[in-house]
Structure formats: C-alpha cells, structure tokens
Amino acid sequence: MAQLRIDNASIRNLTEVTVRKFADQLYGQKPDLVNYDPRVAMALVDVRYNAAGVKLYGSSPPIREMWAALDPYADTFNMEKA
C-alpha cells in the first residue's frame, strides 16, 4: 500500500491549474451544468480527471445516454444509470 503526500503549494497548483481547466472545459461544453446539483458537476470533473480514455464530450450512444441520465430536468434523469 502506498501513501501519496503532496504539499499545500502542489495542492493549490493541481486545483487551480489542472482541475480548473477540466471544470472550465466541462462548463464550456455543458453550460447548463451550473443548474445541476454540485455533486453531479464535481463527479463529472473527477471522471474527466480520471477519464481512462473516455471522451465525455463525444457523440457515441453511451455518452449521449449518460448526459440524458444526468439531466435533472429531463424525463430521462437517472442517477443510477449515469
């Protein structure tokens, strides 16, 4: 088992540079997310950061289904599926 320890300056840098870039891209692609539960938006930023090759902004059927399932204002809203 390994432990990762980073100092406060590294945490600020990671948050302000890397995570902010992902959040800005997410809100740029899906501006309506500002109306979603903050936990949904943060989960999507986390998925983007740990994407493992998944293109969140693609047009494949599974990606379209995910966005439909995450839309709290749509009949297709389904957090478990998302």
Side-chain angles (χ1 to χ4, degrees):
M1 180 177 284
Q3 285 186 324
L4 174 64
R5 295 179 188 262
I6 58 176
D7 59 34
N8 286 338
S10 297
I11 291 170
R12 278 192 301 279
N13 184 59
L14 179 64
T15 302
E16 293 171 5
V17 177
T18 305
V19 175
R20 172 57 41 208
K21 180 179 83 174
F22 294 152
D24 289 346
Q25 183 183 22
L26 176 65
Y27 286 116
Q29 293 285 330
K30 299 286 184 182
D32 56 319
L33 275 177
V34 297
N35 300 317
Y36 285 29
D37 186 297
R39 293 170 294 182
V40 171
M42 288 311 303
L44 290 169
V45 169
D46 183 59
V47 168
R48 172 61 180 89
Y49 185 72
N50 300 297
V54 175
K55 296 184 178 180
L56 289 179
Y57 313 121
S59 60
S60 69
I63 296 298
R64 284 196 313 268
E65 287 177 21
M66 179 199 74
W67 284 112
L70 282 170
D71 184 350
Y73 305 107
D75 293 336
T76 54
F77 179 66
N78 182 335
M79 283 297 288
E80 288 183 28
K81 181 173 182 156

